[in-house]
Amino acid sequence: MMRDHRPGSPSALHDRNRASVVEALRARGSLAQADLARETGLSAATVSTIVRALAEEGLVDVANGPGRRRIVDLAGSVGYTVGIDYGYRHITVAVSARTRDLLCELRSPVDPRISAPGGLAVARRLVRDALDRAGIGRDEVVGAGMGLPVPVSRSTGRVGLDGILPSWTGIDAAALASEVLDLPVAVSVDNDANLGALAELRWGAAIGASDVVYLAMSEGLGAGIVLGGRVYSGSAGTAGEIGHVRVDGAGRSCRCGRRGCLETVASAQALATTLRQFLGEAPTVAKAVDLARLGDLDCRDALEAVGRYAGAALADACNLLNPELIVVGGEMAQAAHIVVPIMQRTIARQAIPGAAQSVRVRACKLGQRAHVLGAIALAAANVETSPVFDS
Ligand SMILES: [Zn+2]
């Protein structure tokens, strides 16, 4: 039977509705089916019919999210993306077909003092190895993203002053990465905590949420802030630098030049510094959690203090931003069963009641892989010309 595509015909209306569903998914990435109806102004029944048809054609993926919500996303069928997590002591590279399923992931240690071009040369070797192992040609790469543990200005592209990697200060990170990596596409760069937030939003603990604070608690301590479903980075890229919120005026001096910052008491490094005096060596978070489970009171106290200090700073963040969800990521996520309940209690005591009652704190779902997945999501978003960011 011939379909009637004249304007105003039922079939033209169907095509238009279907296009608006696809357009909403392109613009917002994954969406709960209920939000898809709100976003497009279509009825729930119409959206349900269209999504079922798109899924049968393999154009969208449907998954079950929290609260039995159905989460819809465009199927990752077009081209491959490369994600790079350029960390403080490591570089991780991953290749994916724009989904959270990685085709290859490789990791190499790196000296924090290495020059930016030197570090990127390591990344280039890893990217080439990863593409080779996944059997993908350079020319099949349609997007590339990279996370850095430093503030990156979205207007100038340059790395800010306040980073943990001094050799990157002032560098146009995307331009240099694009030049050194020599892929057929430009490399997009953002702060790693922002990318962790993006990954948890798209594939992890924050699916379907729109106002989220993601805490990256590893060597340093930063946050990625999602407002209205988009990552907010601020005028110079320093939004979310919660690690330098002052929580103890007489406390340890911080690498930022001030004293008593949250990072000096609640990062994985701070935990190691605290416990070194009791244990004689600096433990990893996993080791401290093991010892606490075996009854070591110093380890338990130190982990609980991390939860209290971070909870106090988060209470202020709740008063300012009123998020619905706080996601604890980074190395400290391994201590989530200890620190998360304390954060939640501290927020309940210290934030205004309306903000405290509307927020849940939970552990990340993507673990240490959140940053590299965020780099994949950034690359995919550029391919989809999706406004996942605030500008
Ligand atoms: Zn500081």
Side-chain angles (χ1 to χ4, degrees), residues 19-255:
S20 64
V21 165
V22 172
E23 193 43 50
L25 291 171
R26 247 189 212 126
R28 294 283 305 271
S30 58
L31 277 173
Q33 194 162 306
D35 294 334
L36 199 48
R38 240 192 316 280
E39 195 86 6
T40 55
L42 299 171
S43 74
T46 302
V47 167
S48 171
T49 307
I50 291 171
V51 165
R52 200 176 318 121
L54 290 169
E56 277 167 13
E57 292 165 46
L59 294 172
V60 300
D61 296 324
V62 182
N64 289 320
R68 291 193 293 174
R69 281 191 283 190
R70 284 162 64 78
I71 308 299
V72 187
D73 199 356
L74 288 178
S77 54
V78 190
Y80 297 95
T81 40
V82 170
I84 299 151
D85 170 24
Y86 193 116
Y88 184 65
R89 293 184 196 279
H90 72 270
I91 296 174
T92 305
V93 157
V95 178
S96 134
R98 289 168 49 196
T99 71
R100 62 170 290 181
D101 303 315
L102 301 180
L103 301 169
C104 183
E105 182 182 14
L106 296 175
R107 189 179 166 97
S108 170
V110 68
D111 187 322
R113 293 162 302 180
I114 196 171
S115 70
L120 284 168
V122 175
R124 178 178 57 197
R125 180 172 53 71
L126 288 174
V127 168
R128 293 194 171 167
D129 282 358
L131 289 172
D132 279 350
R133 289 188 194 197
I136 294 164
R138 268 177 77 256
D139 54 346
E140 292 177 89
V141 175
V142 295
M146 182 171 87
L148 280 171
V150 293
V152 182
S153 164
R154 203 152 298 145
S155 54
T156 65
R158 290 188 186 278
V159 172
L161 295 168
D162 313 300
I164 201 168
L165 295 174
S167 61
W168 281 81
T169 301
I171 284 178
D172 184 336
L176 185 64
S178 299
E179 183 190 323
V180 175
L181 289 171
D182 193 26
L183 289 165
V185 287
V187 182
S188 303
V189 178
D190 206 311
N191 171 263
D192 60 1
N194 287 354
L195 294 185
L198 184 60
E200 292 289 341
L201 189 66
R202 189 157 178 158
W203 292 309
I207 289 177
S210 68
D211 300 296
V212 183
V213 173
Y214 166 84
L215 271 188
M217 302 178 80
S218 291
E219 198 88 32
L221 200 165
I225 298 170
V226 176
L227 299 176
R230 297 189 190 180
V231 179
Y232 175 79
S233 67
S235 61
T238 71
E241 287 292 325
I242 195 170
H244 303 286
V245 168
R246 185 185 273 204
V247 291
D248 177 7
R252 290 176 190 149
S253 58
C254 179
R255 64 186 166 83

Side-chain angles (χ1 to χ4, degrees), residues 243-244 254-258 261 263-264:
H244 303 286
C254 179
R255 64 186 166 83
C256 72
R258 287 171 292 273
C261 294
E263 189 172 293
T264 67

